[in-house]
Amino acid sequence: MNTWRALRGFPLAIRLLLVNQLGVNTGFYLLVPYLALHLSDDLGLSAAVVGIVLGVRNLSQQGLFLIGGSASDRLGARGVIIAGCGLRTIGFGLFALGDGLPVLLAASVLSGLAGALFNPAVRAYLALEAGERKAEAFALFNVFATTGALIGPLLGSALLLVDFRTSALTAAGIFAVLTLAQALVLPARKVAPSGNTVVADWREAVANRGFMAFALAMVGLFTMENQLYLLLPDGARRATGWDGAAGIVFLVGTLTNLALQLRVTRALNRRGSRARWISAGLALMGLSFVPPMAVTLYDGAAGGLTDAALRAVPVLAGALLLYLGVMIAQPFVMELIPDFGRPELTGTYFGLFYVVSGIAAAVGNTVIGWAMDAGAHAGPPWLPWACCLTIGLTSAGGVVWLHRRHVLPAPPAPVPATA
């Protein structure tokens, strides 16, 4: 109820962007988690070719975030958001209709480019439109994004009972509706010129040492959050012997997010600095991997329903703590990013942030993947969980260090009330 009341308190543009993110994540997770299976089983492609197709999509998105951010600053976020949703409509449609490698690669490029366009543009529009309520707006953004990330796989699983093409066409249809909605309803905003060339804007952002240090410190946020799709589901399956246990992790986390995100952000926003809550959230995310270490003590399959439920408790506890850590840190991270630079470069800073943190998180996920393999075969089975704990506490310590060095921007002074 609080979520819907808060939603009505924001302007139409923000409400539309929040619903847009729900649709974006629903459409994305409806298709992408099942894409590798379609490429290998339905189309008979080799593992190497599947890796190329998926890698091209990821590279197109992660590598071009800066382009999308700069386009948002110079052309206006509204047009970039519309273009991104339109391109993803085409890209997902090609996945449904194309079987040849050239078509699949084109679909991957267009789908990745779409994300590179609308992801920084949406956040830049939201940050500029929300004003002093940025943290609350990004808290709601997190609620809608998390809900879409739950609905998408559930809907995708149901549609796969028909076939993959139906799933892909449904995803493309969702993005087509979003494209039309942005074009008809999202207000255009006047673009303030930066006064420099695009390259000069990039140099200005890259030369901001405080911002670059902060982006690198956030490697923990993205690496640990990604374990909701890698390490924690794997731990749940190993503990219970049931593949469906991974879905319980997502369901519990999403319900917790819906119930607590806005309350947590509002409560913390009135107490302490943003750096305190970002570091506290990162530390909690790291500590969330301690309870699931108990999974490594189990040997053999679960002995029944009661035994499986008991084994799942440490993993679910870890997932809840991880979701809570994200709820604490993420809105304040999003609120802080625009304050590093000029308002005219808000999109550029968001784009650069996702490029840096995306690359760093990819390295972090590689380390976690290696630790999972090593723990399963030669090393201690608790190794991947310990790696996540270390990454989380290191990132939290990095934010504390930046705060004590007065590197992080101070919150804007409140505007005095007028009679």
Side-chain angles (χ1 to χ4, degrees):
M1 186 65 67
N2 285 336
T3 298
W4 296 114
R5 189 181 300 115
L7 180 64
R8 291 195 299 270
F10 279 103
L12 175 62
I14 290 182
R15 282 181 276 164
L16 180 61
L17 291 176
L18 296 175
V19 175
N20 177 75
Q21 193 60 30
L22 172 68
V24 164
N25 275 18
T26 299
F28 180 85
Y29 288 103
L30 185 159
L31 174 71
V32 172
Y34 309 103
L35 182 57
L37 187 66
H38 167 67
L39 296 175
S40 59
D41 291 2
D42 298 340
L43 301 185
L45 301 180
S46 67
V49 175
V50 172
I52 291 173
V53 173
L54 298 179
V56 164
R57 192 209 67 79
N58 190 61
L59 182 62
S60 299
Q61 180 162 317
Q62 296 291 342
L64 297 177
F65 271 133
L66 190 54
I67 302 293
S70 292
S72 172
D73 290 334
R74 292 179 172 269
L75 304 177
R78 176 182 179 273
V80 177
I81 293 169
I82 294 170
C85 288
L87 284 176
R88 185 154 283 181
T89 302
I90 298 172
F92 281 4
L94 288 176
F95 277 128
L97 303 175
D99 297 336
L101 183 58
V103 176
L104 294 173
L105 289 175
S108 293
V109 170
L110 290 176
S111 300
L113 176 59
L117 289 176
F118 63 67
N119 276 330
V122 165
R123 287 158 177 80
Y125 197 121
L126 198 66
L128 294 172
E129 190 77 13
E132 295 181 359
R133 299 179 66 191
K134 284 197 289 287
E136 189 175 336
F138 279 112
L140 285 171
F141 189 84
N142 193 24
V143 170
F144 279 81
T146 303
T147 304
L150 174 67
I151 295 174
L154 295 177
L155 183 57
S157 297
L159 290 172
L160 281 177
L161 296 176
V162 182
D163 58 21
F164 176 82
R165 295 182 189 279
T166 301
S167 181
L169 288 174
T170 301
I174 290 174
F175 278 96
V177 171
L178 294 177
T179 304
L180 183 62
Q182 312 306 316
L184 293 178
V185 182
L186 191 63
R189 294 289 182 258
K190 184 178 180 180
V191 179
S194 73
N196 288 321
T197 64
V198 172
V199 174
D201 289 344
W202 292 353
R203 288 175 179 169
E204 179 181 334
V206 172
N208 190 326
R209 294 182 179 181
F211 171 73
M212 296 299 291
F214 178 73
L216 288 173
M218 286 302 102
V219 61
L221 177 67
F222 290 94
T223 300
M224 291 185 292
E225 190 176 11
N226 284 342
Q227 302 320 307
L228 289 168
Y229 309 99
L230 179 62
L231 185 56
L232 281 165
D234 181 72
R237 286 189 292 266
R238 288 177 182 273
T240 64
W242 177 43
D243 289 340
I248 302 298
V249 171
F250 297 132
L251 178 61
V252 170
T254 302
L255 294 177
T256 304
N257 183 274
L258 286 170
L260 297 180
Q261 174 68 86
L262 193 60
R263 295 177 182 177
V264 167
T265 302
R266 282 178 167 174
L268 299 182
N269 206 20
R270 296 190 292 265
R271 303 177 179 89
S273 66
R274 296 178 293 189
R276 173 189 295 181
W277 300 127
I278 292 171
S279 58
L282 289 169
L284 182 59
M285 291 175 71
L287 293 172
S288 71
F289 292 93
V290 174
M293 283 187 187
V295 172
T296 63
L297 302 176
Y298 299 140
D299 186 19
L305 181 60
T306 302
D307 187 29
L310 290 174
R311 291 183 177 209
V313 169
V315 181
L316 291 177
L320 285 173
L321 291 175
L322 182 56
Y323 270 100
L324 183 59
V326 173
M327 284 189 276
I328 291 172
Q330 196 169 68
F332 296 107
V333 171
M334 296 294 105
E335 181 190 37
L336 191 60
I337 291 171
D339 292 346
F340 277 99
R342 296 183 286 137
E344 296 84 2
L345 298 184
T346 297
T348 299
Y349 273 86
F350 272 112
L352 182 58
F353 176 80
Y354 278 101
V355 169
V356 173
S357 56
I359 294 172
V363 175
N365 284 333
T366 301
V367 172
I368 300 303
W370 169 84
M372 290 175 67
D373 290 337
H377 298 99
W382 46 260
L383 184 60
W385 307 98
C387 285
C388 290
L389 170 63
T390 303
I391 290 172
L393 296 182
T394 301
S395 288
V399 174
V400 171
W401 182 79
L402 291 173
H403 178 59
R404 289 180 176 176
R405 294 287 301 270
H406 304 288
V407 173
L408 303 180
V415 178
T418 57

